[in-house]
Every structure is written in C-alpha cells, then in structure tokens.
C-alpha cells in the first residue's frame, strides 16, 4: 500500500493527465475493480474475505495518457496492474502489492477496418463481443471465440495469450494478431508493424503476447478478419473410451482436415454435459465437431471425418450434441446454487501436450487431482495437427474456508506436477497470473532466465504487474 | 436483513459471477468501469449482508447509478433481477435517510406540485383539448411527462382515441403516479400520490383507463396492487388499446423506415412487445425495421430510475448510444411507446432521426391518410 501522502500526490498528478472523473481512490471502486474471474477470488468473495486492493484506479483514454501514467508510476516506483475486461481466470488483475490499477476499458474504439487486407485496428479496451458484433456488421468475424467474449477485452485476450474454441481452424490470438502497440514501463510507446510475417529478426510482437502486463501495457492491436463462412455444420460422435476418440481426432488432422471445432468430452464430462439431453451410454465419451466454409468443402470434411470416427468405433449422434453445445456454450460459466454452495470451489487446469504424451498427461493428472477427493471431469478442447489441450476441470466442497483453500492449492500443486512430469505444459490459454505463478520457473526451465532478463531490462524498477508470471515478486 | 434467504443467496451467487451479463448493462457502457455493473452492485450488497464491509457513500452512488432496466436479467441464466434487488435496498436507504441529495428536488417537487418538474399543478391538463364524443367512456391518465414535457403525445393520444370513437375523460385532478418515487425508494411519498389517484380514478365513471406512459402503466397495474391499492377498472397501455383496433387504424405511405424502441417498463417489466409493433406495421404499411437489440434485449434509453436526475451526462451517453443503434437500421423514424424515452431519445437524435411516440405516429397517419376511421 502507498503511504497516504504519496498516494495523494500521485493521484493529483494522475488527475492532471486523465481528468478527475477518470481516477478514483474510493475504497468501493478499488473493491469492485480488484478481482478478475479467478475461481479462488470468487470463492473468497462468497466467503466474505477481502481481496488485495489497489490504492488508485486510473482509466486512461488514449495511448498518450497510458504513457504519461506509466512515467509517473515508474518515477515513483509504484506497482501498476493493467486491467482488461477483468475476466481472466488466474488472478492476473489482483493488485497484490497495492499501487495502481490501470484499467483500459475506456479505450474501446475500432480505429480502422482495412477491407482489402481484411484487418481491423482496435484499441485494447474494446470488449470482445462488441468487436465481434461490429465486424459482423461488415460481413466478417474475428475467428477468436473464447467463452469470455462478453467480458474480456482485446488487451486481455493478447496479454493472456488466449485461444478460442475455434482455434484449430482460425488460430489462437497470436496467429490472429498482425501488429501491436505497447507502452513500456518507462512510458515509451512501441509499435510493431502489422505485416503478415517478416524476417527482420525475432518477432517482437510475440514478446508481448502472453506477457500478462509484466512487460508493458498493450494499447492497440491489428487483428485478422475472416469472411463469415458460407456454412457451419456440426457433427457428434460417441466413443467407448478416451483412447479411440483421441485416435480419431489425430487421424482427422493427419489427413489434412482442420475442423473449426474439436471438443472431446471424457466419460465424466459427457455424463455432466450431455446425458441430460442425449441418450449417451454411461462411460462413453462424446466428440463434437464443426466444419466451416463453402458447402463443398464442408461436405468433404464432414464425410471423411465421419468415416475416420466410424473406423475408430464412433457412434453417430448427428448434429444434435455439437449444435447444442454451440448454442449453450456460455451456460456452464454462470453461477449455480450447487457450484456456489458453502465452501465449494472448482477450477480448470487447461494444459497442452503433443499426441504422444496427451493421454498419459490426462490420466496422470486425473489420478493426482482425484487423490484430494476432487470430482474431476475433462474435455480435450483445442486440437491441432500435433497435439492439443485438455480442460482438466475439478470441483471440491469442504466444510470451512481454510480447508477449502488448502485443498484447492493441493489439487493445483499435484495436478500441475503430474502434467510437467508427463511432459505437458501447464497452460494452453488461460495464462499464469497468480494461480500458476509459482510453477513458472519449473515449467519454463532454462528459458525462464531469458524471460527474467528481458523483464529486468524492460522494467528495471519491477513496477509492471509484480508477482505474476513468476516475475517481480516483491519482498 | 432486508432480503429473504433466497434473494440473499442470489446476491451471493451474483457477487461471484464472471460478469456474464455486464456487456449489456447500460451503466457499464456509460462509465466503462467495473463499479456500476450488475455484478458490482451485487458484490457490495453481499459484503454488506455477510458483514464484510458496509455501504459507504460511494457504494450508495453505485446503487443509485442503476437504471433498474433489468436488461441484465435477460442475460442471466439463474434469473437474478438486480433491478429489484437494488430497489429493495434503495427503499431501506431512504428509510435510513442515506439517499443521494440530488434526489431532493424531485421528491420535493412531487410532494408540492404532484409532478417531478416543478411545474404548477393547475396547468397539468388544463391545456388539453378534448373533443366531444358519445362513444365508450375511457379515462386517459396522462402522466407527468406527456402533461408537461411532451404535450403533443397527450394531445395526439386524445385525438386518436376520439377518432376511434371513445369519449375521453381526463381526471380533473390527477397526481404523479409515483413511479419516480417508487423506483428511487420513496415508498411512503409514492403511496400518498397513489392513494389519491386511486380514489380519483375509482370515483370516475368509465369503462377503462388508458395510459401513454409505461412508467404509469407499471405502477398502476403492478405496484398499486402490491401495496393493496386496487383500481376498479381495467388499465391498458395505449399500445394495447390501439392494437385491439388494428383494422380501424389509418394507414399511410411513410417516407422512410421506422424502427421501434422498447421501453423497459412496457417491455421487460410488463411483457408488452408485439402490440406496438403491430400498430406500427399497420399504420406505416410494413415499414418497421428492427434494431439489433430489441424486445427483451432492447437497451434502455438511459432515463430510468433517477439516473437522468442524478447523473445527467451519463444518462445522455446511454441515450446517444441507443440512437446510434437506431441509426444503424437505416430508419428515418424512431418510434417509441413512452414519453420519457421519447424525451431522451429526441434530445440525443438531434436532427438525425425523427423521434415519435406511438400516438404521434398514428395521428400522423390519420392526418396523411384518406382512410376513414370508425
Ligand atoms: C466465462 C469465462 C470463459 C473463458 N473462456 C476462455 C476461452 O475460451 N479461452 C481462453 O483463452 N480464455 C478463456 N477465459 C479466460 C480469460 O477470460 C481470457 O484469458 C481473457 O483473455 C482474459 O481477458 P480479460 O480482458 O478479461 O483480462 P483481465 O482479466 O483483465 O487481465 C488478464 C491479465 O492480463 C493483463 N492485462 C489485461 N489487459 C492488458 C493490457 N491491455 N496490457 C497488458 N496487460 C494486460 C492483466 O494485468 C492480467 O494479468 C475465460 C474466462 C471466463 C471467465
Ligand atoms: S445478474 Fe446474473 S449474469 Fe449478471 S452478473 Fe449477476 S449472476 Fe451474472
Ligand atoms: S438493471 Fe440495468 S442498469 Fe441496473 S445493473 Fe441491470 S442492466 Fe445495469
């Protein structure tokens, strides 16, 4: 927390930059802006605990204002936590060392649509769904479909290196981004050119994608656009076990077919998500597919995929389950009486691995997590030619807060340890934030030192989102 | 605790929601901050309920920044109505004397003049010209906005009703329906207005009552009965009444598309969506074009539940956004079915759209058509 004199002084200076109505030191505002959608924060809120608060929340309206704000923070060595949509799942926006939260929500404009190159230049604070609807009006789509579309914004998508449910076909946020504008800790404004690719040294754009506010503040991005596909067709197949379903997926990619959606639910998740609505045999695993594009292309992809699934024992469920998932894909994120009762807590460890390790990672993590009496259900959600991700979802209910938070931590510790042991990577899309911060060094191994050195150079005072991404932990 | 167990549980759930409806909350759009949001409001109340943190003045502001539009409810799977939850707490805040002082003028004005605009009570409806007619008798409860700010709505409503053969009666001494008071938590003051109105309306001889203001409509049909005040005649909104005479309504060649703005009180709070649309389709000969956000997903105009009184600049920002949404349809006319919405939308549309209330559109059709009405 800042000393009250310094706080008043800095607040005054910030007022001069952004205007009095765009900065607040009111406790109510700091309480409401503190948290993202980290399940541990949500559970603590329900339990009546206070979360760490910022001293000041500032809402700059332009890149220049962001730059001026950072200069002041840097000069005074005040921690800065960037805030996007505040719907990250890892505690990334929690201002654990107090200081300032720099909220980008006012920077919410589309700056330009380049129809010829199919690109949109947009400010970082634009909420995903608002951007999607705007480009839809011009006949395009973003191709980025995370289920946090309604709350997360462009800066958050980039800062966490997010991936949407159609990432197999359209790509993850790093594939969808051509250019970036970033403000560094010292206030300097950096732009990477928006070109399809280049060979002028390493791609520095990538340095900031996934940096979670620890290396700078993303203020603007140039994103790719896709024409809205002529057709999107859904298909669903049930398999007797996880292994045969994974084999089918692997082969589909191997013959060169890239569905837009590939989601494969293990028996527990199938029971939870499907069996209420469809007559699925107990113990079966459901694969959901979607194919996007012109009718002929879709016909071909669907036909070949169905053949491959059947060769692997797949039972055809038509378009029903996949279509229903698409229509209801946001539903599972709403609070329910069950998931919010007492000291219940759940979370998702969204790991990624290559095909040779994927099944082992899945089984090892499931065993490790279930050892803490957690209910674990999973789906393989973002699949590619060489492997894919697993949503390892867990849920536990405990008699008191202390036991609940401790159990939660143990499930995480052992789940991540099992993942790393079997050769997986601990996050595909949610990022690190606070929930995985302490595992970062183990995960990155020798490359962690490179990241650390970059951090030290770009942010020598360690003001940028300290404590996240395994970086800048203050004593 | 002012909330029952079920509501407290809902508040607790919402306090831990990953903001699934925030994108439609107009006050999130106006402030671009996490504070004036459905989840934010619930979080403050949850902390108060379980004793983590009491409401401070800023928290009270956040509760009074809510439009009570219930747009969040449309997007809430567990069906948590923040508008109702907020209004419950506002009632208590008024009892505690902890409401924003910016409301004092409005409250005093209704107490003294029976309207929120500080206008002389005797001029409320004295200017209205009522044609003689010996058809079915009907009482037109004008409401404050049509009486003082949107006179042409009241006059055109009377004219259209007369053309349909009604003998229109205006209460000699109608008071504010109490909507602005109820929505901001001043129940006792509202009930004083309400009791008076019920007495006047019940003493009049007529088959039914018609209103042009959805705020009045909701209060007369839902709030009055909730407080044990029964009106002894059916109450209809003019959209419903006009729809019941669809075939008798005039038609005309309108010179551009018409889009319709659903008011929150008539739409989400009363479920009247189709009737005004049918009326527009009839009189404009099918010129209706929908905004992307319509019916139970319609955005509030920004005027509701005291927001314009307390935070006029933010209210206008919301109105301006709704006008942009209307412009996107390519419409020339923006029609609504609420004098209060019309007032806000017209102020923001400037000359980019022609903003009309439903009776004004029908009156326009009447004047420009050659079809005889019965
Ligand atoms: C219901 C729900 C569904 C989800 N589904 C998906 C999904 O399908 N795919 C997926 O990938 N993720 C998903 N997520 C996780 C999360 O929403 C995303 O990772 C998202 O990208 C976070 O964006 P945000 O704007 O909410 O970021 P925030 O929570 O505001 O911030 C996240 C982190 O990024 C930093 N940050 C934010 N903006 C900037 C900026 N402009 N510059 C620098 N740093 C910044 C913050 O400091 C923080 O560390 C989901 C989350 C929820 C709640
Ligand atoms: S109103 Fe419903 S959807 Fe909105 S934040 Fe609360 S619980 Fe979530
Ligand atoms: S009622 Fe309207 S203004 Fe209030 S929280 Fe819900 S959407 Fe926002």
């Amino acid at each position: 927390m800042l000393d009250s004199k310094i706080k008043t002084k800095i607040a005054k200076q910030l007022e001069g930059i952004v205007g009095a109505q765009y900065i607040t030191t009111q406790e109510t505002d700091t309480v409401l802006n503190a948290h993202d959608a980290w399940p541990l924060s949500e559970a603590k809120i329900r339990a009546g605990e206070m979360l760490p608060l910022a001293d000041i929340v500032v809402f700059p309206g332009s890149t220049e204002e962001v730059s001026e704000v950072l200069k002041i923070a840097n000069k005074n060595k005040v921690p800065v936590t960037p805030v996007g949509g505040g719907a990250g799942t890892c505690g990334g926006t929690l201002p654990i060392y107090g200081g300032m939260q720099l909220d980008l929500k006012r920077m919410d404009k589309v700056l330009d649509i380049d129809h010829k190159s199919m690109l949109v230049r947009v400010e970082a604070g634009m909420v995903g769904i608002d951007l999607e609807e705007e480009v839809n009006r011009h006949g395009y789509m973003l191709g980025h479909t995370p289920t946090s579309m309604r709350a997360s914004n462009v800066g958050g998508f980039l800062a966490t290196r997010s991936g949407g449910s159609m990432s197999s076909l359209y790509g993850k946020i790093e594939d969808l981004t051509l250019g970036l504008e970033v403000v560094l800790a010292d206030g300097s404004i950096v732009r990477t050119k928006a070109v399809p690719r280049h060979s002028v040294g390493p791609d520095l754009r990538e340095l900031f994608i996934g940096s979670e506010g620890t290396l700078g503040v993303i203020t603007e991005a140039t994103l790719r656009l896709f024409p809205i596909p002529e057709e999107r067709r859904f298909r669903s197949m049930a398999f007797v076990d996880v292994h045969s379903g994974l084999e089918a997926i692997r082969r589909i990619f191997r013959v060169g077919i890239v569905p837009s959606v590939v989601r494969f639910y293990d028996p527990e998740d199938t029971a939870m998500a499907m069996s209420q609505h469809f007559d699925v045999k107990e113990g079966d695993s459901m694969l959901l597919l979607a194919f996007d594009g012109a009718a002929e292309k879709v016909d071909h992809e669907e036909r070949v995929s169905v053949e491959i699934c059947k060769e692997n024992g797949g039972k055809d469920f038509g378009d029903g389950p996949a279509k229903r998932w698409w229509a209801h894909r946001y539903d599972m994120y709403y609070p329910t009486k069950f998931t919010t009762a007492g000291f219940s807590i759940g979370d998702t460890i969204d790991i990624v691995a290559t095909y040779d390790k994927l099944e082992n990672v899945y089984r090892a993590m499931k065993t490790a997590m279930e050892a803490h009496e957690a209910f674990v259900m999973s789906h393989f959600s973002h699949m590619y030619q060489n492997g894919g991700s697993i949503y390892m979802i867990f849920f536990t209910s405990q008699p008191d807060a202390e036991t609940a938070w401790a159990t939660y931590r143990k499930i995480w510790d052992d789940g991540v340890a099992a993942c790393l042991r079997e050769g997986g990577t601990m996050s595909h899309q949610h990022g690190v934030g606070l929930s995985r911060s302490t595992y970062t060094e183990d995960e990155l191994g020798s490359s962690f030192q490179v990241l650390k050195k970059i951090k030290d150079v770009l942010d020598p005072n360690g003001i940028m989102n300290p404590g996240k991404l395994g970086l800048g932990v203050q004593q | 605790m002012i909330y029952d167990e079920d509501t407290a549980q809902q508040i607790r759930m919402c306090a831990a929601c990953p903001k699934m409806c925030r994108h439609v909350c107009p006050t999130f759009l106006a402030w671009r901050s996490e504070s004036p949001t459905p989840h934010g409001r619930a979080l403050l109340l949850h902390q108060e309920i379980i004793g983590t943190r009491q409401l401070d003045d800023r928290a009270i502001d956040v509760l009074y920044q809510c439009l009570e539009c219930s747009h969040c409810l449309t997007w809430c799977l567990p069906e948590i109505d923040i508008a109702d939850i907020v209004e419950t707490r506002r009632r208590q805040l008024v009892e505690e004397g902890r409401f924003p002082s910016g409301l004092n003028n409005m409250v005093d004005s209704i107490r003294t003049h029976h309207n929120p605009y500080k206008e002389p009570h005797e001029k409320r409806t004295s200017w209205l010209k009522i044609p003689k007619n010996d058809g079915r008798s009907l009482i037109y409860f004008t409401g404050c906005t049509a009486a003082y700010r949107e006179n042409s709505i009241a006059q055109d409503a009377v004219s259209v009703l007369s053309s349909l053969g009604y003998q229109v009666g205006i209460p000699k001494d109608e008071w504010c329906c109490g909507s602005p008071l109820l929505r901001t938590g001043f129940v006792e003051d509202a009930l004083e207005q309400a009791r008076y109105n019920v007495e006047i309306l019940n003493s009049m001889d007529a088959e039914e009552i018609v209103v042009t203001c959805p705020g009045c409509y909701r209060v007369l049909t839902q709030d009055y009965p909730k407080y044990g005040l029964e009106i002894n005649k059916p109450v209809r909104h003019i959209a419903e009444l006009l729809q019941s005479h669809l075939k008798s309504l005039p038609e005309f060649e309108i010179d551009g598309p018409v889009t319709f703005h659903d008011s929150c009180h008539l739409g989400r709070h009363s479920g009247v969506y189709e009737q005004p649309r049918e009326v527009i389709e009839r009189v404009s000969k099918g010129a209706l074009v929908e905004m992307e956000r319509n019916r139970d997903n319609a955005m509030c105009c920004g005027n509701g539940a005291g927001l314009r009184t307390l935070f006029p600049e933010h209210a206008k920002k919301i109105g301006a956004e709704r006008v942009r949404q209307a412009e996107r349809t390519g419409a020339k006319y923006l029609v609504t079915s609420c004098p209060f919405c019309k007032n806000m939308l017209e102020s923001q549309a400037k000359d980019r759209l022609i903003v009309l209330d439903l009776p004004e559109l029908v009156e326009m059709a009447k004047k420009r058509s050659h079809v005889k009405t019965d």
Side-chain angles (χ1 to χ4, degrees):
Chain A
M1 295 300 274
L2 296 178
D3 163 83
S4 77
K5 258 199 196 140
I6 296 179
K7 176 167 151 179
T8 313
K9 187 186 94 184
I10 291 175
K12 207 77 229 127
Q13 290 175 358
L14 293 177
E15 251 183 62
I17 296 166
V18 296
Q21 73 268 45
Y22 298 122
I23 159 177
T24 174
T25 54
Q26 297 260 8
E27 191 187 69
T28 285
D29 292 312
T30 63
V31 166
L32 297 180
N33 285 277
H35 57 286
D36 58 5
W38 184 16
L40 184 61
S41 293
E42 290 173 347
K44 286 184 173 177
I45 288 170
R46 290 200 309 271
E49 293 183 21
M50 284 286 274
L51 301 172
L53 302 181
D55 299 281
I56 301 169
V57 189
V58 59
F59 300 87
S62 67
T63 302
E64 289 66 33
E65 287 184 7
V66 172
S67 163
E68 293 305 312
V69 168
L70 287 184
K71 281 180 196 163
I72 289 176
N74 200 34
K75 190 166 160 219
N76 293 283
K77 298 194 170 61
V78 174
V80 177
T81 308
V83 178
T89 49
C90 309
T93 66
L94 279 178
I96 49 173
Y97 298 111
M100 190 191 294
Q101 274 179 322
L102 189 158
D103 193 318
L104 287 118
K105 290 190 188 73
R106 280 182 62 224
M107 294 181 60
D108 61 350
K109 280 156 217 69
V110 168
L111 300 169
D112 182 39
I113 295 183
D114 172 351
H115 294 275
K116 202 159 193 179
S117 321
M118 288 211 296
L119 294 172
V120 58
R121 196 157 66 84
V122 59
E123 290 183 322
M126 188 160 193
V127 175
I129 191 77
D130 293 339
L131 178 59
E132 177 69 23
E133 286 179 357
E134 179 56 22
V135 303
N136 288 168
R137 287 179 198 118
H138 298 271
Y140 303 116
M141 60 177 204
L142 294 171
H144 192 55
T145 55
T147 333
S148 52
M149 278 302 265
R150 295 173 183 170
S152 293
N153 61 30
V154 170
F157 291 151
L158 283 154
T160 57
R161 217 178 148 82
S162 60
S165 49
M166 297 199 159
S167 63
S168 305
L169 179 61
Y170 297 104
K172 296 79 57 195
I173 196 69
E174 69 274 17
D175 308 315
L176 298 167
T177 308
L178 258 58
L180 275 189
E181 182 186 76
V182 182
V183 185
L184 302 182
D186 64 1
S188 50
I189 300 169
V190 177
R191 291 189 183 89
T192 71
K193 239 190 238 175
V195 282
R197 92 174 291 273
H198 65 78
S199 82
V200 191
D203 193 344
L204 293 172
R205 176 189 58 110
E206 282 277 10
L207 181 60
F208 298 102
I209 300 180
S211 63
E212 300 190 14
T214 62
L215 301 180
V217 176
I218 298 165
T219 46
E220 190 190 301
T222 303
L223 304 176
R224 292 172 64 195
L225 295 172
F226 299 88
I228 293 174
E230 192 181 302
E231 193 175 346
R232 171 166 299 148
R233 203 177 302 163
F234 295 97
R235 198 69 181 242
S236 332
M237 289 277 170
F239 293 85
V240 290
D241 55 25
V242 166
H243 177 76
S244 48
L246 275 180
E247 270 305 289
I249 294 171
R250 196 174 66 79
R251 297 236 208 124
I252 289 171
F253 281 105
R254 201 178 170 93
V255 299
I257 289 173
V258 186
S260 54
V261 173
V262 185
R263 293 172 76 82
F264 180 46
Y265 290 64
D266 79 352
E268 287 79 10
D269 212 356
T270 301
M272 185 65 102
M274 311 281 162
S275 47
Q276 259 180 305
H277 312 282
F278 302 95
D279 190 16
V280 198
K281 204 169 144 226
E282 204 184 325
D284 275 7
S285 298
M286 182 69 83
L287 170 63
L288 311 180
L289 296 169
F291 307 93
D292 281 22
E296 263 176 37
K297 170 182 170 277
V298 169
D299 279 347
H300 166 74
E301 292 180 342
E302 187 185 24
R303 186 175 47 74
V304 177
S305 301
V306 168
E307 273 167 25
I308 294 175
C309 287
K310 287 189 173 160
E311 281 161 21
N312 284 276
K315 285 171 272 181
D316 197 350
F317 271 72
D319 63 359
K323 221 177 190 171
R324 186 176 192 285
W325 163 74
W326 180 249
H328 291 270
R329 64 194 183 282
Y330 292 100
D331 292 5
M332 69 173 274
Y333 297 96
Y334 285 91
T336 66
K337 280 185 189 169
F338 172 67
T339 54
T340 61
F343 298 97
S344 327
I345 182 162
D347 203 343
T348 301
I349 313 184
D350 62 304
I351 67 93
V352 56
T354 44
Y355 283 120
D356 60 330
K357 305 189 175 76
L358 199 57
E359 213 176 319
N360 286 347
V361 172
Y362 162 70
R363 296 198 193 285
M365 285 185 74
K366 191 163 159 61
T367 309
M369 293 159 77
E370 283 173 347
H372 301 288
E373 287 171 37
F375 174 68
V376 180
M377 56 184 196
S378 314
H379 52 264
F380 297 77
S381 55
H382 302 69
M383 305 304 290
Y384 311 103
Q385 280 83 351
N386 316 101
S389 80
I390 321 176
Y391 250 58
M392 303 289 306
I393 303 166
F394 68 85
F395 186 77
T396 178
S397 188
Q398 298 296 333
D400 57 69
E402 207 181 324
T403 323
W405 312 161
T407 309
Y408 172 84
R409 187 36 67 196
K410 276 190 240 154
I411 297 169
W412 262 101
D413 286 350
D414 292 356
V416 169
C419 169
L420 299 189
R421 194 178 64 238
E422 298 298 329
T425 276
M426 67 174 177
S427 180
H428 168 268
Q429 59 188 40
H430 286 169
V432 173
L434 215 50
S435 61
R436 294 169 170 92
S437 194
T438 51
Y439 316 128
T440 319
E441 200 166 344
D442 278 351
E443 166 67 55
L444 293 180
S446 50
S447 56
F448 182 70
Q449 288 311 317
V450 181
L451 180 63
K452 216 163 167 304
K453 281 180 187 157
I454 293 172
K455 166 78 175 173
D456 291 344
V457 172
L458 292 187
D459 179 21
N461 292 325
I463 61 163
M464 296 306 304
N465 212 358
K468 317 294 164 55
L469 204 56
L471 297 169
V473 177
Q474 299 186 347
Q475 301 311 318
Chain B
M1 185 173 68
I2 56 169
Y3 296 104
D4 58 35
E5 277 300 316
D6 275 356
T7 314
Q9 186 184 36
Q10 288 192 328
I11 294 170
R12 182 170 175 276
M13 276 161 65
C14 182
C17 175
K19 309 157 188 178
M20 298 300 285
C21 65
R22 191 189 62 192
H23 63 298
V24 296
C25 174
T27 63
F28 174 64
L29 174 124
W31 270 275
R32 298 298 289 177
S33 147
E34 207 64 72
S35 299
T37 66
H39 160 78
R41 294 178 174 116
L43 175 43
L44 294 174
L45 293 170
H46 173 63
Q47 290 193 329
E48 186 187 38
I49 291 168
I50 60 169
T52 311
R53 193 171 167 267
Q54 297 308 306
L55 299 183
D56 58 11
D57 287 349
R58 171 68 186 128
I60 292 170
D61 264 357
V62 169
L63 294 182
Y64 273 95
Q65 283 166 347
C66 178
L67 283 156
E68 298 191 1
C69 68
S70 291
H71 198 169
C72 45
L73 179 58
T74 300
W75 289 79
C76 180
L77 207 59
E79 297 184 353
I80 297 169
D81 190 359
I82 296 297
D84 193 49
I85 287 167
V86 162
E87 195 173 297
T88 303
R89 188 65 185 95
R90 286 182 180 184
R91 286 199 288 275
Q92 188 78 13
L93 285 167
V94 168
E95 265 182 37
E96 294 164 13
R98 295 172 69 208
F99 55 88
S101 57
L103 291 170
N104 282 331
N105 276 343
M106 181 270 288
V107 178
D108 286 347
S109 173
I110 298 180
R111 279 180 191 152
T112 321
H113 307 289
H114 308 302
N115 70 74
Y117 302 118
K118 289 196 171 162
E119 297 287 351
H121 179 54
E122 55 289 357
K123 297 214 169 122
R124 189 176 180 96
T125 47
S126 53
W127 55 273
L128 256 176
K129 294 183 196 67
I130 316 284
K132 281 252 174 301
N133 199 318
D134 51 11
R136 289 160 62 188
S137 63
L138 164 152
I139 301 168
Y140 172 36
F141 186 89
T142 56
C144 304
T145 306
Y148 293 110
R149 291 287 178 271
E150 294 291 339
N151 292 356
S152 67
I153 297 178
Q155 193 58 68
D156 289 353
V158 169
S159 164
V160 168
L161 291 168
S162 298
S163 309
L164 289 170
Y166 286 100
Q167 177 197 326
V168 181
I170 305 289
K172 264 215 194 70
D173 193 24
E174 152 195 317
W175 286 7
C176 171
C177 71
S179 175
L181 295 167
L182 279 170
R183 307 285 82 95
T184 50
F186 293 85
V187 181
E188 274 318 310
D189 285 296
L191 290 181
E192 202 181 313
Q193 307 292 313
R195 282 186 210 105
Y196 186 83
N197 284 328
V198 171
E199 202 182 305
I200 295 278
L201 292 170
N202 285 356
S203 69
M204 286 177 75
D205 194 16
E207 284 179 34
E208 65 174 321
I209 298 165
V210 70
V211 293
T212 43
C213 174
C216 300
Y217 180 67
R218 180 177 171 202
V219 165
L220 263 58
T221 57
Q222 295 172 41
D223 293 278
Y224 284 12
K226 204 167 81 192
Y227 289 102
L229 299 169
E230 294 294 341
I231 296 176
N232 62 8
K233 305 166 188 64
V235 178
R236 281 203 282 179
H237 187 269
I238 195 154
E240 296 174 293
L241 182 143
L242 291 173
Q243 191 266 352
S244 69
H245 292 280
L246 210 54
K247 292 222 169 75
S248 312
L249 296 182
E251 294 173 292
F252 78 127
E253 299 294 338
I254 194 160
D255 57 344
V258 182
T259 193
F260 178 67
H261 165 78
D262 294 270
S263 94
C264 306
H265 287 317
L266 193 63
R268 276 186 292 268
H269 293 137
S270 304
V272 178
Y273 295 114
E274 300 312 320
Q275 294 90 327
R277 289 181 163 78
E278 287 180 34
V279 172
I280 293 171
E281 282 286 62
R282 159 78 192 186
V283 300
S284 70
K285 295 192 181 174
L288 180 67
V289 287
E290 290 289 353
M291 286 189 249
E292 284 171 20
R293 292 188 178 179
N294 61 64
R295 295 182 172 82
D296 67 346
N297 192 31
M299 183 182 170
C300 175
C301 73
N303 232 349
L307 197 79
R308 195 172 181 178
T309 309
L310 290 170
F311 305 97
E313 290 316 308
H314 292 87
K316 283 182 213 157
K317 239 187 200 175
I318 296 165
E321 173 58 24
R322 189 58 174 157
V323 168
R324 263 193 295 279
Q325 294 176 7
E327 282 184 281
R328 234 180 249 140
T329 64
K332 180 166 184 180
Y333 293 88
L334 168 54
V335 173
T336 182
S337 205
C338 170
F340 211 46
C341 294
K342 187 211 159 183
N343 190 269
M344 169 57 97
L345 296 171
E346 194 171 41
S347 77
Q348 297 310 301
K350 312 275 175 349
D351 51 7
R352 301 196 308 278
L353 281 166
I354 300 166
V355 184
L356 297 174
D357 199 51
L358 197 62
E360 294 175 308
L361 178 74
V362 179
E363 179 68 7
M364 187 188 225
K366 209 178 89 189
K367 286 186 178 148
R368 295 202 198 159
S369 75
H370 305 292
V371 178
K372 245 184 91 215
T373 56
D374 55 21

